[in-house]
Amino acid sequence: MPVPVKGLSGVTAIAAGSLFSLALMSNGTVVAWGDNREGQLGDGTLRNSTVPVPVTGLSGVTSIAAGALHSLAVLGNGTAMAWGDNESGQLGVGRRVSLRVVPTAVAKITGITAIAAGEEHSVALLSDGSVWVWGGNGEFQLARRNGFPGGIGQSNVPLRVPGLGKAKAIAAGGSFSLAVLAGGRVRGWGDNAFGQLGNGGAQTGPALVTVTGLSGAARVVAGGVTALAFGPAATTGPAATAAGPVSSPWRIAGNPPNPGGVDGLKDVFFGSVAAGSASDAWAVGASDALSASSQPLAEHWDGHAWTTAAVPMPAGAADAQVDGVDEVSGGNVWAVGNLTTSAGAERTLIEHWDGTAWSVVPSPKPRTGFGAFDELRGIGGTSAGDLWAVGEYSDGQNFNAMLFAHWNGTAWSFVKEPAALHASAFGNAVTVLSPTDAWAVGENGFQSATLSAHWDGHAWSFVKTPFPQDGADPQNFLTGGTATGPGNVWASGYEGNVNQQNFNLPYVLHWNGTAWSLTETPNAGTEGSLLAGVTALSPADVWAAGQTGESDGALLTFAEHFNGQSWSVVPSLDPGELGDAPDSTFDAIAGVPPHVLFGVGSQETPTFCCLAASPNGAPQAEP
């Protein structure tokens, strides 16, 4: 129940931070109470207080604001004071200091009529209608680029929001901001992972966006990832009532059941998907129990729901998983992956669905002896008697080579890799056009470069591929392949560690019958995006999928489309949300012409994190 704050009267305004509170008194002073680990109480100490304490040296205050760990106050002369955490420059004091335990003047701006505080940024409205921001820019809170090249990570001084026009009210959410303009329109910028900018999408970027269909607003308020607008004439038009919170062609198609469920304490990972029709698809991966081994997993889509099909654990395996799948027909499906023996050796795994049950099929193991290992990651084919699987193998000492395995309708056999260009090659995906035309893609681990190999019916040969080289140690990967003909082959990929930062750059390679070319596709997220797979419905209808990384820890699904001329981002859904940041990824994509797509991956769902034995031996959930 509500209890009185001790010793307070004459309060004219209040503000709440993460674990502390502020109150503006009628005499123009400010008091604070609660957490003070970063000096956000402004009393000159770092001691917490369970009762209000005066903020040092403040008088003539007209308004206040509280961020996660910092505080702001506007004075009667139109200047501002700030105190508390300054890790991202959110105090705006013009220099790099970690914190301030007493109020310090915000640099550069006067004429302030309103102020707002986000998690690690601050916003001010001036009497001329301009809006100024300072602090962190990890989620584009400063309405400016933050990536490579030319972006800024933060600002210790206020910067004017460009292109906004005259505002009459402002609000700051966790990592986003809003402003009310003439006519009651509301515009926003910053983090939009949960749709908090109200523009019908969920893409985060530096551009200002307009809240869809809203007019007549007088004020806005913002929470961590939510926003409200209200006023004497606030209304929404038809555009704001469109079905669904996100405008996206993707839909959740009856998520596969978690074989363990919450009580089973199992995580499920899907690494590949294949489809024969809109009502016949397979997703494969692994089911990982906290108290047991990783088990190979296969789920089947019948057009209405996903069901689990039992996949046998190989004899002598301590754990196993399948990473690639290909559906030749409804009664002929193949999955490939790897297992770990009880002795710790990593070996290839091939499983087959005959229309009734899955079974283990003997697979090639090109090297034996201490330290030798092999695994398969991708599979593809054109008929029941012509399948290729790719991965990697090693003698455990001298090399890692791309592994090729071929099915001739009777048995799987090892096929020698091309003459080595290097001592470290990995195969991730294979696409087969005919018995004399197949492509495998992966990476050259020695050079951190893209890698492709071509089968001409007699032998595999490496074919030169381009790759970006941003900075001293870029990491390049090709993750998927698809084709509509000998002169139209696509490979998905990305560059990691761009400029030696935690930043990804997505791209695709295209084979035109003569050479590979590279196209950088649109990027999203404060830590960039990666592409995990690609599928072509037609030469002018190609799709790629993967994930976007955000600096707040969120992972978001990511999808892009090629219309025959250019690539564009297509909004996708993020069903997994636990805590402040969602974690959802696409790890594979498959298509059924003319217009059906399947995307699989993983999402975060509420469950227990771990088990501990209680004194009586019963399991207990830990935080």
Side-chain angles (χ1 to χ4, degrees), residues 17-21 33-37 40 68-69:
S18 179
L19 296 170
F20 72 101
S21 303
W33 61 98
D35 179 33
N36 197 30
R37 77 184 86 168
Q40 59 266 48
L69 295 170

Side-chain angles (χ1 to χ4, degrees), residues 582-610:
D583 280 326
S584 304
T585 67
F586 276 141
D587 294 311
I589 187 172
V592 180
H595 52 67
V596 175
L597 295 169
F598 289 90
V600 301
S602 60
Q603 69 179 60
E604 187 177 33
T605 55
T607 183
F608 299 109
C609 86
C610 38

Side-chain angles (χ1 to χ4, degrees), residues 28 60 70 79 82 103 173 225 249 258 269 280 376 382 409 444 477 481 492 535:
H70 74 290
T79 63
V225 290
N258 185 326
F269 305 91
D280 182 20
L376 294 170
T382 58
N444 171 354
F477 308 89
S492 58
T535 188

Side-chain angles (χ1 to χ4, degrees), residues 9 23 34 47-48 67 72 79 87 99 103 171 181 239 315 332 378 391 415 428 467 478 501 611:
S9 61
R47 294 190 299 271
N48 299 342
L72 303 169
T79 63
E87 182 179 359
L99 57 86
L181 306 182
N332 188 9
V415 176
N428 293 326
F467 59 95
L478 293 180
Q501 300 291 324
L611 277 180

Side-chain angles (χ1 to χ4, degrees), residues 314-340:
D319 30 8
Q321 66 183 54
V322 280
D323 297 311
V325 63
D326 184 54
E327 182 170 1
V328 180
S329 65
N332 188 9
V333 183
W334 291 88
V336 300
N338 65 88
L339 62 87
T340 303

Side-chain angles (χ1 to χ4, degrees), residues 8 11-15 21-25 29-33 52 55 64:
L8 282 190
V11 175
T12 61
I14 55 173
S21 303
L22 304 175
L24 173 60
M25 313 304 291
T29 62
V30 178
V31 296
W33 61 98
V55 177
I64 54 175

